[in-house]
């Protein structure tokens, strides 16, 4: 028996639900839209509608992918790029989180340092890479540092924002129970800021891939960024697309892993 007595109202509600959900065909085609785009791209490239020199057919890009994979070139460049990101990420994330908690908890420190970091935030991180090359040379250190600088700002401001949103009542309860300042940071401010920290980590991951690719364009002879840039120089367009897609997939996979970890570390956040 229907809970709605008036059939007209029930029909209107059903129509409203259908309108909200959209067309059945749109919902069925939605998940396959990327495949549809690739199919159109393949046909247009094969038939000459698209210039195959700049937009090679996806099938030829896949073929190049397996050639690079079999030769070991792709795996070598992936491992180099990921190692640079991992080391730089740790170098930037740890001080960013610690300083974010400190600035969010200590007003005097925030008043003194926040203008400095806020003025440095808009500076394009890639723009200071030439300076890092002068200081650290063409070795690996300059790549680690440029990634660390980019990651640092993402974590600093997201952690700071999370700590600043901590309800004063929680700190009052901690104070009433005799918690020291360090205990308040560890048991109140830091856990409350964790969702913001994970947001910063996911943003920093995407930013790290952008920064390392740009730095490998000009300051490296290995890595995915170098592979893309050298492919452009030799007009190996399929190889260039392989590098771009690989970076995209790696970035997506890393963000997905962080989201998976976030669900376990901060299960109280709704997803």
């Amino acid at each position: 028996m229907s809970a709605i007595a008036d059939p007209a109202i029930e029909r209107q509600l059903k129509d409203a639900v259908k309108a909200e959900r959209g067309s059945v065909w749109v919902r069925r085609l939605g998940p396959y839209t990327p495949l549809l785009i690739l199919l159109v791209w393949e046909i247009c490239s094969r038939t000459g509608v698209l210039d195959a020199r700049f937009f090679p057919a996806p099938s030829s890009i896949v073929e190049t992918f397996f050639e690079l994979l079999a030769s070991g070139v792709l795996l070598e460049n992936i491992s180099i790029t990921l190692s640079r990101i991992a080391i730089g990420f740790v170098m930037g994330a740890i001080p960013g989180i610690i300083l974010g908690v400190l600035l969010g908890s200590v007003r005097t420190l925030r008043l003194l340092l926040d203008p400095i970091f806020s003025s440095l935030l808009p500076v394009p991180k890639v723009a200071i890479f030439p300076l890092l090359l002068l200081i650290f040379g063409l070795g690996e250190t300059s790549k680690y540092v440029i990634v660390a600088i980019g990651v640092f700002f993402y974590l600093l401001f997201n952690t700071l924002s999370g700590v600043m949103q901590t309800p004063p009542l929680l700190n009052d309860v901690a104070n009433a129970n005799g918690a020291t300042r360090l205990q308040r940071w560890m048991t109140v401010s830091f856990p409350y800021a964790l969702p913001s920290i994970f947001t910063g980590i996911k943003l920093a991951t995407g930013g790290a891939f952008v920064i390392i690719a740009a730095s490998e364009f000009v300051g490296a002879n290995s890595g995915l960024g170098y592979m893309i840039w050298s492919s452009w120089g030799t007009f190996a367009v399929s190889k260039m697309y392989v590098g771009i897609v690989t970076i995209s997939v790696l970035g997506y996979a890393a963000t997905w892993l962080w989201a998976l970890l976030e669900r376990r570390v901060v299960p109280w956040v709704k997803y």
Side-chain angles (χ1 to χ4, degrees):
M1 180 178 174
S2 173
I4 301 175
D6 192 336
I9 296 177
E10 185 177 6
R11 188 169 55 254
Q12 288 178 3
L13 288 174
K14 287 182 179 179
D15 291 342
V17 171
K18 284 182 181 177
E20 183 68 23
R21 294 176 66 185
S23 166
V24 175
W25 285 107
V26 170
R27 281 186 279 125
R28 287 180 179 175
L29 286 175
Y32 303 102
T33 304
L35 293 177
L36 187 62
I37 292 173
L38 289 176
L39 179 62
V40 173
W41 182 357
E42 179 81 24
I43 294 171
C44 290
S45 181
R46 295 286 179 189
T47 56
V49 175
L50 287 176
D51 191 335
R53 294 175 301 171
F54 306 119
F55 302 99
S59 58
S60 67
I61 296 173
V62 172
E63 185 180 346
T64 305
F65 169 80
F66 283 110
E67 288 175 1
L68 292 172
L69 195 64
S71 65
V73 172
L74 184 60
L75 289 178
E76 181 184 357
N77 285 310
I78 287 175
S79 63
I80 291 172
T81 295
L82 289 182
S83 65
R84 287 169 177 161
I85 289 176
I87 295 173
F89 203 97
V90 173
M91 289 170 58
I94 293 176
I97 293 173
I98 294 174
L99 205 55
V101 173
L102 287 174
L103 264 62
S105 305
V106 183
R107 187 170 184 273
T108 305
L109 201 60
R110 185 166 64 252
L111 292 175
L112 289 173
L113 298 181
D114 186 61
I116 298 173
F117 292 121
S118 295
S119 61
L120 292 175
L121 177 64
V123 176
K125 307 305 174 286
V126 179
I128 62 173
F129 189 58
L131 176 63
L132 296 179
L133 288 177
L134 289 174
I135 297 173
F136 299 105
L138 290 169
E140 294 300 298
T141 307
S142 56
K143 284 83 172 176
Y144 302 153
V145 173
I146 190 68
V147 172
I149 291 172
V151 169
F152 171 80
F153 283 97
Y154 281 110
L155 269 300
L156 169 67
F157 284 102
N158 276 277
T159 306
L160 172 62
S161 173
V163 173
M164 292 285 290
Q165 294 176 33
T166 306
L169 179 62
L170 297 180
N171 282 317
D172 292 341
V173 172
N175 283 331
N177 285 277
T180 63
R181 174 171 289 186
L182 180 61
Q183 288 172 327
R184 286 203 311 275
W185 292 347
M186 297 302 296
T187 59
V188 178
S189 300
F190 180 70
Y192 199 86
L194 271 176
S196 297
I197 291 173
F198 270 101
T199 300
I201 287 174
K202 286 184 281 188
L203 291 172
T205 300
F209 275 96
V210 174
I211 290 172
I212 195 62
S215 61
E216 286 175 348
F217 280 175
V218 295
N221 54 11
S222 59
L224 289 171
Y226 170 75
M227 192 178 91
I228 294 170
W229 194 250
S230 62
S231 301
W232 172 81
T234 57
F235 213 66
V237 182
S238 293
K239 190 176 175 183
M240 183 182 73
Y241 276 106
V242 169
I244 294 171
V245 173
T246 302
I247 286 181
S248 172
V249 171
L250 289 175
Y252 175 79
T255 305
W256 179 79
L257 288 174
W258 283 124
L260 198 64
L261 180 63
E262 182 184 13
R263 294 186 183 193
R264 294 186 177 276
V265 175
V266 284
W268 60 87
V269 177
K270 293 181 179 178
Y271 298 95

